[in-house]
Amino acid sequence: MPFKNLNDVKEHCENLENIAIFLGYNANVDALKYISSKNDLYELLDEKNNIGDVKIDIDKVIENMASYPREIKTPEEFLARLILAMKSGKPVEIPLISANLSPNFKKWLEDLKFNEKRIGGQVGIIANLLSLLNLEKIIAYTPLLSKKQSEMFENKGNHANIFYPVLKKDGKVSLTNINNAYKDDETKINRIFEYKEFDFEFNNEKIDIPRANRLILASRPENLRIDISEDIKKELPEMGKDIDCAIVSGYQSIKEKYSDGKTDEYYFKRAVEDIKLLKSKNLDLKVHLEFASVQNPLLRKKIVEYLYPVVDCAGLDETEIANILNSLGYSELSEKILKDSRIEDVIEASKIVLEKYDLEMIQIHTIFYIMFICKKIEDKAKNDIKIAQLKKSLEFATILASSKAKNGLITSIEDLKMGLDTPYNQYGDLLIDLVSNISNSSEFTEYNIVLVPSRIVKNPKSTVGLGDTISSGAFVSYVADLKNNNVL
Ligand SMILES: Nc1ncnc2c1ncn2[C@@H]1O[C@H](COP(=O)(O)OP(=O)(O)O)[C@@H](O)[C@H]1O
Ligand SMILES: O=P(O)(O)OC[C@H]1O[C@](O)(CO)[C@@H](O)[C@@H]1O
Ligand SMILES: [Mg+2]
């Protein structure tokens, strides 16, 4: 067990302090609505426009939403997708395009009272986490940075360590404390419905919620472009020279077509350029792409086809990798994962993606485990060290995630004691045995498959952002090993 006490965790955090990282592109405000019981649910559904009076045939509504991007426009569609998400036991994110909303649904959303507002988006969540872990420098780039959004970035390290690239009057780009770098942009708000485990009746059906989870209604503002303006873009090579790694994300909000005539291809080509520019003066730079759920299979395929070839590491959950496989034509394997989430199938899927895009590392997080898959190092002694380091990075990630699950957010390194004190889930030993058998099979002799069981928090305060927490914690820990001892 690599972490016996909080001091071991603190010592591990110290290894991360010399890491500098670039984060792009998506940040937003997460407005959280807690649904802790069936009464909360009925109150939510009855609020104002009597959305609860909506009598819906869930299957019919879903059938009618067959066209993509399967966004939500009406109360019926919201209700149907919320109940399906609750039943599924899986995290769900669905785009919400305000221009397309029915008037009564738009009003219902506007009148909704939220329990809590906190930073969201991969960039927002990861920047605040890594700041707290005292990383040397975090360049957090997001296209929209309103004053309200900039204030939600919390420079909680020993020194202000979250920076935003600002074009100065002399034409130079300076990395400015993000709290002072805001522009007159709109604030992007996502609505998060965080529900606990409970059961309820709906349309004469008893519905069980198998585990606490969340449904995200992700706004898609027309003027949000996943892009870096030319004057900042030209500085990317210099920024890349002074950092060790990058985490890129947010491509899920790219739309096929924009009002100004631009298309998704325009933004994907520029996103590839951004990564190549960051790497251009620093060949050791490691780039991790954190996936999110993408309803539209064409868009999902473009994200991996354009971006996986130019990144080194990919983080995603089992639903996301199943959907990627579906977009790549492996529909049978995809269906099996979506239906049963068997680890053998997830590992096979990871190997397919790793090989197809020549990735260095895949990191998968599911409710029951967190796993790294990568090629072995020739030298056995070195590879054994690598496995031990990968395992330690995953352990660290589970401690981060369960601390955040327990407390809703991590406010100090002391909070990590909560995660450390949370035991592995009951399937831990079974999963470890399963993976060691698979690792020894002929198909995987060239691969390291390293798994750590998750430390599931019963009745978590919230679940949104746990995947971002896991992926970023494991990735920066991996990079620290690369940087500090070059064994990997
Ligand atoms: N109650 C919980 N306790 C501990 N870890 C959890 C709990 N619920 C979920 N997790 C972890 O968080 C991950 C959620 O990942 P993901 O859905 O990608 O989150 P997000 O995209 O919101 O960051 C799961 O794969 C699991 O490892
Ligand atoms: O797809 P979007 O609008 O960038 O939102 C991403 C969502 O995913 C999260 O980052 C969690 O992974 C939420 O905080 C956020 O609401
Ligand atoms: Mg995720």
Side-chain angles (χ1 to χ4, degrees), residues 89-135:
K90 304 255 177 160
V92 172
E93 174 180 341
I94 303 169
L96 193 83
I97 298 169
S98 48
N100 305 347
L101 298 182
S102 68
N104 66 331
F105 189 47
K106 194 170 174 120
K107 181 160 179 355
W108 181 77
L109 283 171
E110 280 157 6
D111 293 349
L112 216 46
K113 302 269 174 304
F114 288 90
N115 304 87
E116 192 186 330
K117 291 194 172 165
R118 60 160 93 139
I119 201 157
Q122 274 80 17
V123 170
I125 290 171
I126 295 171
N128 279 3
L129 171 69
L130 299 185
S131 174
L132 188 86
L133 297 179
N134 259 330
L135 263 69

Short mmCIF file of all heavy atoms in Angstrom, two decimals, residues 89-135:
data_model
loop_
_atom_site.label_atom_id
_atom_site.label_comp_id
_atom_site.label_asym_id
_atom_site.label_seq_id
_atom_site.Cartn_x
_atom_site.Cartn_y
_atom_site.Cartn_z
N GLY A 89 -27.58 4.50 -13.65
CA GLY A 89 -26.42 4.39 -12.74
C GLY A 89 -25.16 4.96 -13.34
O GLY A 89 -24.06 4.79 -12.82
N LYS A 90 -25.31 5.64 -14.50
CA LYS A 90 -24.12 6.20 -15.19
C LYS A 90 -24.19 7.72 -15.24
O LYS A 90 -25.29 8.29 -15.37
CB LYS A 90 -24.07 5.66 -16.62
CG LYS A 90 -24.07 4.15 -16.70
CD LYS A 90 -22.73 3.58 -17.04
CE LYS A 90 -22.78 2.05 -17.04
NZ LYS A 90 -21.70 1.43 -17.80
N PRO A 91 -23.02 8.39 -15.23
CA PRO A 91 -23.02 9.86 -15.36
C PRO A 91 -23.46 10.25 -16.77
O PRO A 91 -23.10 9.59 -17.74
CB PRO A 91 -21.57 10.23 -15.12
CG PRO A 91 -20.78 8.99 -15.25
CD PRO A 91 -21.68 7.83 -15.10
N VAL A 92 -24.25 11.32 -16.88
CA VAL A 92 -24.76 11.75 -18.19
C VAL A 92 -24.56 13.25 -18.37
O VAL A 92 -24.68 14.01 -17.41
CB VAL A 92 -26.28 11.41 -18.28
CG1 VAL A 92 -26.91 12.01 -19.53
CG2 VAL A 92 -26.51 9.90 -18.24
N GLU A 93 -24.19 13.63 -19.60
CA GLU A 93 -24.08 15.07 -19.94
C GLU A 93 -24.82 15.28 -21.25
O GLU A 93 -24.59 14.57 -22.22
CB GLU A 93 -22.61 15.47 -20.09
CG GLU A 93 -22.48 16.92 -20.60
CD GLU A 93 -21.03 17.36 -20.77
OE1 GLU A 93 -20.13 16.73 -20.18
OE2 GLU A 93 -20.81 18.35 -21.50
N ILE A 94 -25.74 16.26 -21.28
CA ILE A 94 -26.55 16.50 -22.47
C ILE A 94 -26.50 17.98 -22.85
O ILE A 94 -26.63 18.84 -21.98
CB ILE A 94 -28.02 16.10 -22.21
CG1 ILE A 94 -28.09 14.62 -21.78
CG2 ILE A 94 -28.87 16.34 -23.45
CD1 ILE A 94 -29.42 14.20 -21.25
N PRO A 95 -26.25 18.29 -24.15
CA PRO A 95 -26.17 19.69 -24.56
C PRO A 95 -27.52 20.40 -24.47
O PRO A 95 -28.57 19.79 -24.66
CB PRO A 95 -25.71 19.61 -26.02
CG PRO A 95 -25.91 18.23 -26.46
CD PRO A 95 -26.02 17.37 -25.27
N LEU A 96 -27.47 21.68 -24.15
CA LEU A 96 -28.68 22.51 -24.04
C LEU A 96 -28.43 23.76 -24.87
O LEU A 96 -27.52 24.54 -24.56
CB LEU A 96 -28.87 22.90 -22.57
CG LEU A 96 -30.19 23.50 -22.17
CD1 LEU A 96 -31.20 22.38 -21.91
CD2 LEU A 96 -30.03 24.33 -20.92
N ILE A 97 -29.16 23.89 -25.98
CA ILE A 97 -28.95 25.06 -26.84
C ILE A 97 -30.11 26.01 -26.62
O ILE A 97 -31.25 25.72 -27.02
CB ILE A 97 -28.79 24.62 -28.31
CG1 ILE A 97 -27.55 23.71 -28.40
CG2 ILE A 97 -28.67 25.83 -29.25
CD1 ILE A 97 -27.39 22.98 -29.68
N SER A 98 -29.86 27.13 -25.93
CA SER A 98 -30.96 27.98 -25.45
C SER A 98 -31.84 28.46 -26.59
O SER A 98 -33.05 28.57 -26.42
CB SER A 98 -30.42 29.16 -24.63
OG SER A 98 -29.39 29.77 -25.33
N ALA A 99 -31.27 28.67 -27.77
CA ALA A 99 -32.10 29.17 -28.89
C ALA A 99 -33.19 28.17 -29.25
O ALA A 99 -34.22 28.52 -29.80
CB ALA A 99 -31.20 29.41 -30.10
N ASN A 100 -32.98 26.90 -28.92
CA ASN A 100 -33.94 25.86 -29.34
C ASN A 100 -34.92 25.46 -28.25
O ASN A 100 -35.71 24.55 -28.43
CB ASN A 100 -33.18 24.59 -29.80
CG ASN A 100 -32.15 24.90 -30.89
OD1 ASN A 100 -32.17 25.98 -31.46
ND2 ASN A 100 -31.24 23.96 -31.14
N LEU A 101 -34.84 26.11 -27.08
CA LEU A 101 -35.67 25.64 -25.96
C LEU A 101 -37.12 26.10 -26.12
O LEU A 101 -37.38 27.22 -26.57
CB LEU A 101 -35.14 26.18 -24.63
CG LEU A 101 -33.72 25.75 -24.24
CD1 LEU A 101 -33.36 26.32 -22.87
CD2 LEU A 101 -33.59 24.24 -24.25
N SER A 102 -38.06 25.25 -25.70
CA SER A 102 -39.49 25.68 -25.70
C SER A 102 -39.63 26.77 -24.63
O SER A 102 -38.92 26.74 -23.62
CB SER A 102 -40.38 24.49 -25.37
OG SER A 102 -40.16 24.10 -24.01
N PRO A 103 -40.52 27.75 -24.85
CA PRO A 103 -40.66 28.87 -23.90
C PRO A 103 -40.91 28.43 -22.47
O PRO A 103 -40.26 28.92 -21.54
CB PRO A 103 -41.85 29.64 -24.46
CG PRO A 103 -41.94 29.27 -25.91
CD PRO A 103 -41.42 27.85 -26.01
N ASN A 104 -41.79 27.41 -22.29
CA ASN A 104 -42.10 27.04 -20.88
C ASN A 104 -40.90 26.36 -20.23
O ASN A 104 -40.64 26.51 -19.05
CB ASN A 104 -43.35 26.16 -20.80
CG ASN A 104 -43.16 24.80 -21.48
OD1 ASN A 104 -42.37 24.69 -22.41
ND2 ASN A 104 -43.86 23.79 -21.00
N PHE A 105 -40.11 25.63 -21.03
CA PHE A 105 -38.94 24.96 -20.45
C PHE A 105 -37.87 26.00 -20.12
O PHE A 105 -37.23 25.95 -19.08
CB PHE A 105 -38.39 23.90 -21.40
CG PHE A 105 -37.32 23.04 -20.80
CD1 PHE A 105 -37.48 22.48 -19.53
CD2 PHE A 105 -36.14 22.80 -21.46
CE1 PHE A 105 -36.49 21.69 -18.95
CE2 PHE A 105 -35.14 22.01 -20.90
CZ PHE A 105 -35.32 21.46 -19.64
N LYS A 106 -37.69 26.99 -21.03
CA LYS A 106 -36.71 28.05 -20.81
C LYS A 106 -37.04 28.78 -19.50
O LYS A 106 -36.19 28.99 -18.64
CB LYS A 106 -36.76 29.03 -21.98
CG LYS A 106 -35.58 29.98 -22.06
CD LYS A 106 -35.60 30.75 -23.39
CE LYS A 106 -34.51 31.82 -23.40
NZ LYS A 106 -33.54 31.64 -24.46
N LYS A 107 -38.34 29.05 -19.31
CA LYS A 107 -38.77 29.77 -18.09
C LYS A 107 -38.55 28.89 -16.85
O LYS A 107 -38.04 29.35 -15.83
CB LYS A 107 -40.25 30.16 -18.22
CG LYS A 107 -40.77 30.93 -17.01
CD LYS A 107 -41.99 31.71 -17.23
CE LYS A 107 -42.48 32.46 -15.97
NZ LYS A 107 -41.73 32.21 -14.72
N TRP A 108 -38.90 27.61 -16.99
CA TRP A 108 -38.72 26.70 -15.85
C TRP A 108 -37.26 26.68 -15.43
O TRP A 108 -36.92 26.77 -14.26
CB TRP A 108 -39.20 25.29 -16.24
CG TRP A 108 -39.09 24.30 -15.13
CD1 TRP A 108 -39.92 24.18 -14.05
CD2 TRP A 108 -38.06 23.31 -14.96
NE1 TRP A 108 -39.48 23.17 -13.23
CE2 TRP A 108 -38.34 22.61 -13.77
CE3 TRP A 108 -36.94 22.93 -15.70
CZ2 TRP A 108 -37.55 21.57 -13.30
CZ3 TRP A 108 -36.14 21.89 -15.25
CH2 TRP A 108 -36.45 21.23 -14.05
N LEU A 109 -36.37 26.63 -16.41
CA LEU A 109 -34.92 26.59 -16.10
C LEU A 109 -34.49 27.89 -15.44
O LEU A 109 -33.74 27.90 -14.48
CB LEU A 109 -34.12 26.37 -17.38
CG LEU A 109 -34.09 24.94 -17.93
CD1 LEU A 109 -33.45 24.91 -19.31
CD2 LEU A 109 -33.34 23.99 -16.98
N GLU A 110 -34.99 29.01 -15.98
CA GLU A 110 -34.58 30.32 -15.43
C GLU A 110 -35.07 30.51 -14.00
O GLU A 110 -34.40 31.13 -13.19
CB GLU A 110 -35.10 31.45 -16.33
CG GLU A 110 -34.23 31.66 -17.58
CD GLU A 110 -34.98 32.34 -18.72
OE1 GLU A 110 -36.15 32.75 -18.52
OE2 GLU A 110 -34.38 32.43 -19.81
N ASP A 111 -36.23 29.90 -13.69
CA ASP A 111 -36.80 30.09 -12.34
C ASP A 111 -36.22 29.11 -11.33
O ASP A 111 -36.43 29.23 -10.13
CB ASP A 111 -38.32 29.89 -12.38
CG ASP A 111 -39.00 30.98 -13.19
OD1 ASP A 111 -38.29 31.96 -13.51
OD2 ASP A 111 -40.17 30.83 -13.54
N LEU A 112 -35.46 28.12 -11.82
CA LEU A 112 -34.97 27.05 -10.94
C LEU A 112 -34.04 27.63 -9.87
O LEU A 112 -33.18 28.46 -10.18
CB LEU A 112 -34.20 26.03 -11.79
CG LEU A 112 -34.28 24.55 -11.43
CD1 LEU A 112 -35.71 24.12 -11.14
CD2 LEU A 112 -33.71 23.70 -12.55
N LYS A 113 -34.23 27.19 -8.64
CA LYS A 113 -33.32 27.65 -7.55
C LYS A 113 -32.22 26.60 -7.40
O LYS A 113 -32.52 25.41 -7.25
CB LYS A 113 -34.10 27.73 -6.23
CG LYS A 113 -35.32 28.65 -6.27
CD LYS A 113 -35.00 30.08 -5.87
CE LYS A 113 -36.21 30.97 -6.07
NZ LYS A 113 -36.70 30.90 -7.51
N PHE A 114 -30.97 27.04 -7.41
CA PHE A 114 -29.87 26.09 -7.28
C PHE A 114 -29.30 26.12 -5.87
O PHE A 114 -29.36 27.14 -5.20
CB PHE A 114 -28.79 26.38 -8.34
CG PHE A 114 -29.25 25.99 -9.72
CD1 PHE A 114 -29.92 26.89 -10.54
CD2 PHE A 114 -29.10 24.68 -10.16
CE1 PHE A 114 -30.40 26.51 -11.78
CE2 PHE A 114 -29.57 24.28 -11.40
CZ PHE A 114 -30.21 25.20 -12.22
N ASN A 115 -28.78 24.98 -5.44
CA ASN A 115 -28.25 24.89 -4.08
C ASN A 115 -26.86 25.49 -3.95
O ASN A 115 -26.46 25.97 -2.90
CB ASN A 115 -28.16 23.41 -3.64
CG ASN A 115 -29.49 22.73 -3.74
OD1 ASN A 115 -29.84 22.21 -4.82
ND2 ASN A 115 -30.25 22.74 -2.67
N GLU A 116 -26.11 25.43 -5.04
CA GLU A 116 -24.70 25.80 -4.92
C GLU A 116 -24.16 26.16 -6.31
O GLU A 116 -24.61 25.58 -7.30
CB GLU A 116 -23.96 24.57 -4.39
CG GLU A 116 -22.55 24.80 -3.92
CD GLU A 116 -21.88 23.47 -3.55
OE1 GLU A 116 -22.56 22.52 -3.13
OE2 GLU A 116 -20.65 23.42 -3.72
N LYS A 117 -23.25 27.10 -6.37
CA LYS A 117 -22.56 27.40 -7.63
C LYS A 117 -21.07 27.24 -7.39
O LYS A 117 -20.55 27.72 -6.38
CB LYS A 117 -22.89 28.82 -8.10
CG LYS A 117 -24.34 28.92 -8.54
CD LYS A 117 -24.67 30.15 -9.32
CE LYS A 117 -26.11 30.02 -9.86
NZ LYS A 117 -26.66 31.28 -10.34
N ARG A 118 -20.42 26.53 -8.28
CA ARG A 118 -18.96 26.35 -8.13
C ARG A 118 -18.33 26.23 -9.50
O ARG A 118 -19.02 26.06 -10.51
CB ARG A 118 -18.65 25.12 -7.27
CG ARG A 118 -19.19 23.82 -7.82
CD ARG A 118 -18.50 22.64 -7.24
NE ARG A 118 -19.18 22.11 -6.05
CZ ARG A 118 -19.31 20.79 -5.84
NH1 ARG A 118 -18.86 19.93 -6.71
NH2 ARG A 118 -19.88 20.35 -4.75
N ILE A 119 -17.03 26.29 -9.53
CA ILE A 119 -16.34 26.26 -10.82
C ILE A 119 -16.57 24.91 -11.48
O ILE A 119 -16.70 23.88 -10.78
CB ILE A 119 -14.84 26.58 -10.66
CG1 ILE A 119 -14.26 27.06 -12.00
CG2 ILE A 119 -14.07 25.38 -10.12
CD1 ILE A 119 -13.02 27.88 -11.87
N GLY A 120 -16.66 24.91 -12.80
CA GLY A 120 -16.88 23.67 -13.55
C GLY A 120 -16.08 23.68 -14.83
O GLY A 120 -15.30 24.62 -15.09
N GLY A 121 -16.26 22.61 -15.59
CA GLY A 121 -15.45 22.46 -16.80
C GLY A 121 -14.11 21.85 -16.42
O GLY A 121 -13.59 22.08 -15.32
N GLN A 122 -13.54 21.07 -17.36
CA GLN A 122 -12.25 20.43 -17.03
C GLN A 122 -11.22 21.48 -16.59
O GLN A 122 -10.52 21.30 -15.59
CB GLN A 122 -11.74 19.65 -18.26
CG GLN A 122 -12.28 18.23 -18.38
CD GLN A 122 -13.69 18.13 -18.96
OE1 GLN A 122 -14.19 19.08 -19.57
NE2 GLN A 122 -14.33 17.02 -18.75
N VAL A 123 -11.11 22.57 -17.34
CA VAL A 123 -10.09 23.57 -17.00
C VAL A 123 -10.35 24.15 -15.61
O VAL A 123 -9.42 24.29 -14.79
CB VAL A 123 -10.05 24.70 -18.05
CG1 VAL A 123 -9.17 25.86 -17.58
CG2 VAL A 123 -9.54 24.17 -19.38
N GLY A 124 -11.59 24.46 -15.31
CA GLY A 124 -11.91 25.06 -14.01
C GLY A 124 -11.61 24.12 -12.85
O GLY A 124 -10.89 24.46 -11.90
N ILE A 125 -12.13 22.92 -12.96
CA ILE A 125 -11.96 21.95 -11.87
C ILE A 125 -10.50 21.56 -11.69
O ILE A 125 -9.96 21.54 -10.59
CB ILE A 125 -12.82 20.70 -12.16
CG1 ILE A 125 -14.30 21.06 -12.02
CG2 ILE A 125 -12.44 19.53 -11.26
CD1 ILE A 125 -15.26 20.01 -12.47
N ILE A 126 -9.81 21.32 -12.82
CA ILE A 126 -8.42 20.84 -12.73
C ILE A 126 -7.50 21.97 -12.26
O ILE A 126 -6.61 21.75 -11.44
CB ILE A 126 -7.98 20.24 -14.07
CG1 ILE A 126 -8.82 18.98 -14.37
CG2 ILE A 126 -6.49 19.92 -14.07
CD1 ILE A 126 -8.64 18.40 -15.77
N ALA A 127 -7.72 23.19 -12.75
CA ALA A 127 -6.87 24.32 -12.33
C ALA A 127 -6.93 24.50 -10.82
O ALA A 127 -5.90 24.60 -10.14
CB ALA A 127 -7.30 25.60 -13.02
N ASN A 128 -8.12 24.47 -10.27
CA ASN A 128 -8.25 24.67 -8.80
C ASN A 128 -7.63 23.52 -8.02
O ASN A 128 -7.00 23.73 -6.99
CB ASN A 128 -9.72 24.87 -8.43
CG ASN A 128 -10.18 26.30 -8.68
OD1 ASN A 128 -9.41 27.12 -9.19
ND2 ASN A 128 -11.42 26.59 -8.37
N LEU A 129 -7.79 22.31 -8.54
CA LEU A 129 -7.19 21.16 -7.84
C LEU A 129 -5.67 21.27 -7.85
O LEU A 129 -5.00 21.16 -6.82
CB LEU A 129 -7.62 19.85 -8.52
CG LEU A 129 -6.90 18.59 -8.03
CD1 LEU A 129 -7.31 18.26 -6.60
CD2 LEU A 129 -7.15 17.41 -8.96
N LEU A 130 -5.10 21.53 -9.02
CA LEU A 130 -3.63 21.55 -9.15
C LEU A 130 -3.03 22.76 -8.43
O LEU A 130 -1.90 22.71 -7.95
CB LEU A 130 -3.22 21.53 -10.62
CG LEU A 130 -3.69 20.30 -11.41
CD1 LEU A 130 -3.13 20.33 -12.83
CD2 LEU A 130 -3.28 18.99 -10.73
N SER A 131 -3.83 23.84 -8.32
CA SER A 131 -3.33 25.00 -7.57
C SER A 131 -3.16 24.63 -6.10
O SER A 131 -2.12 24.88 -5.49
CB SER A 131 -4.34 26.15 -7.69
OG SER A 131 -3.94 27.22 -6.86
N LEU A 132 -4.13 23.94 -5.60
CA LEU A 132 -4.13 23.48 -4.21
C LEU A 132 -2.96 22.53 -3.97
O LEU A 132 -2.36 22.51 -2.89
CB LEU A 132 -5.44 22.73 -4.00
CG LEU A 132 -5.79 22.31 -2.60
CD1 LEU A 132 -6.49 23.44 -1.91
CD2 LEU A 132 -6.65 21.08 -2.65
N LEU A 133 -2.60 21.76 -5.00
CA LEU A 133 -1.49 20.79 -4.86
C LEU A 133 -0.15 21.50 -5.08
O LEU A 133 0.89 20.85 -5.17
CB LEU A 133 -1.67 19.63 -5.86
CG LEU A 133 -2.91 18.76 -5.65
CD1 LEU A 133 -3.00 17.66 -6.71
CD2 LEU A 133 -2.93 18.13 -4.25
N ASN A 134 -0.20 22.82 -5.22
CA ASN A 134 1.03 23.62 -5.23
C ASN A 134 1.89 23.43 -6.47
O ASN A 134 3.12 23.56 -6.38
CB ASN A 134 1.89 23.24 -4.02
CG ASN A 134 1.75 24.28 -2.94
OD1 ASN A 134 1.51 25.44 -3.26
ND2 ASN A 134 1.87 23.85 -1.71
N LEU A 135 1.28 23.11 -7.62
CA LEU A 135 2.11 23.01 -8.82
C LEU A 135 2.76 24.36 -9.09
O LEU A 135 2.19 25.42 -8.77
CB LEU A 135 1.25 22.57 -10.01
CG LEU A 135 1.28 21.07 -10.30
CD1 LEU A 135 0.60 20.28 -9.19
CD2 LEU A 135 0.68 20.75 -11.65
#
